[in-house]
Amino acid sequence: MKRIFIKDKLKSLDTNIEDVPLGVFDEIGEYCAKKARQPTNKYYNSAGCFFRPNYERGILIDSMVRRYRPKSLLEIGFGRGYWSMCAAMSMTNNRIDGTIDSIDVSYDKTHLDNMEKIFPKNWLSKMKLWEGTSLEVLNNHMPDKTWDIVYIDGAHTYDAVIADFKAIMNRTNMFVIFDDYYFEMDETAPDIQVRQAVDDAVLWDKELIHMDRLIFSDDRESWRSNEDLEKMKSSTYGQVIARNPAFNG
Ligand SMILES: C[S@@+](CC[C@H](N)C(=O)[O-])C[C@H]1O[C@@H](n2cnc3c(N)ncnc32)[C@H](O)[C@@H]1O
């Protein structure tokens, strides 16, 4: 599979990293993605308690929205809403009259209420949230819908990732993005089997984007201070973008 650094991928999408307002993504992430380390974590003392888990995924979808102008997005696995808020902001900023469907098995209603107080109404109005498992919702509530870009970030077992891909592969016009592709098994997360699933079942043209704390540096070295090749070797995590062979944009 082709491999590329996030900053080079952004460049290929006509985004210069120096022009990206990192603070905007940081603000969205503050409510929707920020995580805390336990005091027992080896980085708690050296890098701090709070960290920004792959905030680069928001920068990537913003760049893809600007470049491809999708009208419809689907996210499997809403979580706390970071990806979909970044996408909604981007659609709004780029004057795209589009929608974002997002599916999750359950939502924290207090969190959703807080999001309504924090984020602009014109971002939120692009969102449609669906509660249930991905397959239930896709089969029973949206059996005929298609999307330009689909983001698979729900259940991460081998069978679940393949089932999600099979459910949407004929309903995706441009790209499917897979989160959490670890190319070495992460011992702390044995249920994350995205790599095996993507390698075995996704036969579309694929590109692995090396990311996560490579722009928002934290417990990792900043890309600014490292040679790309060295960084690439030590980076073991990314997202995979698979392109529908019928899409030639
Ligand atoms: C890593 S979080 C998603 C983060 C979010 N995509 C983002 O980028 O901010 C994964 C979410 O998937 C949801 N999930 C797990 N299994 C699912 C399934 N079968 N169908 C739908 N959602 C699922 C979990 O409840 C969890 O909220």
Side-chain angles (χ1 to χ4, degrees):
M1 187 174 0
K2 273 180 284 177
R3 292 162 60 160
I4 188 169
F5 267 120
I6 180 67
K7 65 166 184 159
D8 295 322
K9 180 62 188 176
L10 296 177
K11 204 181 287 172
S12 79
L13 294 167
D14 304 322
T15 296
N16 180 358
I17 187 61
E18 306 297 339
D19 299 332
V20 175
L22 296 188
V24 172
F25 295 93
D26 215 9
E27 285 200 57
I28 299 174
E30 182 70 12
Y31 297 105
C32 299
K34 179 172 151 181
K35 284 189 179 166
R37 298 184 182 95
Q38 297 304 310
T40 47
N41 185 291
K42 64 178 175 180
Y43 294 116
Y44 184 89
N45 287 337
S46 59
C49 177
F50 299 105
F51 68 106
R52 304 174 175 102
N54 197 16
Y55 280 20
E56 288 90 342
R57 69 190 186 275
I59 303 174
L60 179 61
I61 189 59
D62 172 43
S63 299
M64 291 179 75
V65 165
R66 203 173 319 111
R67 170 77 165 70
Y68 297 107
R69 303 191 67 77
K71 291 240 182 309
S72 51
L73 305 186
L74 167 68
E75 174 180 49
I76 297 178
F78 176 82
R80 284 177 286 155
Y82 177 73
W83 187 86
S84 48
M85 275 303 99
C86 293
M89 171 194 69
S90 190
M91 279 184 157
T92 307
N93 291 348
N94 291 291
R95 297 192 166 79
I96 296 170
D97 185 15
T99 56
I100 304 167
D101 290 299
S102 190
I103 306 173
D104 208 297
V105 282
S106 69
Y107 290 90
D108 176 340
K109 306 291 181 275
T110 308
H111 180 66
L112 294 183
D113 288 347
N114 286 336
M115 285 179 73
E116 288 200 8
K117 292 183 196 133
I118 291 160
F119 294 112
K121 287 206 168 24
N122 52 357
W123 297 11
L124 296 165
S125 66
K126 299 196 173 303
M127 298 291 314
K128 182 147 177 62
L129 303 184
W130 302 86
E131 192 162 68
T133 67
S134 49
L135 299 184
E136 269 164 26
V137 173
L138 289 168
N139 293 336
N140 301 335
H141 299 287
M142 299 190 276
D144 303 315
K145 194 160 180 184
T146 66
W147 296 272
D148 288 334
I149 296 178
V150 174
Y151 178 43
I152 297 185
D153 189 19
H156 286 65
T157 62
Y158 182 83
D159 289 344
V161 173
I162 292 179
D164 281 343
F165 179 62
K166 290 199 166 150
I168 54 79
M169 64 179 283
N170 294 323
R171 303 166 67 181
T172 304
N173 303 317
M174 298 176 179
F175 300 102
V176 178
I177 304 170
F178 295 88
D179 198 53
D180 289 321
Y181 185 104
Y182 286 87
F183 36 101
E184 284 159 19
M185 176 65 86
D186 183 340
E187 283 164 17
T188 62
D191 287 345
I192 296 189
Q193 292 155 353
V194 177
R195 176 175 63 78
Q196 296 91 322
V198 167
D199 289 356
D200 288 354
V202 182
L203 304 180
W204 294 0
D205 191 33
K206 291 174 286 194
E207 192 176 32
L208 171 61
I209 322 299
H210 288 258
M211 57 208 293
D212 190 8
R213 282 162 278 173
L214 297 184
I215 291 174
F216 281 101
S217 61
D218 182 334
D219 49 13
R220 304 183 186 175
E221 296 284 310
S222 163
W223 61 265
R224 290 167 211 273
S225 62
N226 259 342
E227 288 301 318
D228 279 359
L229 192 59
E230 286 310 306
K231 196 73 215 155
M232 185 86 92
K233 280 188 207 150
S234 64
S235 165
T236 59
Y237 175 89
Q239 288 190 335
V240 169
I241 300 179
R243 172 187 281 261
N244 179 340
F247 176 62
N248 49 25

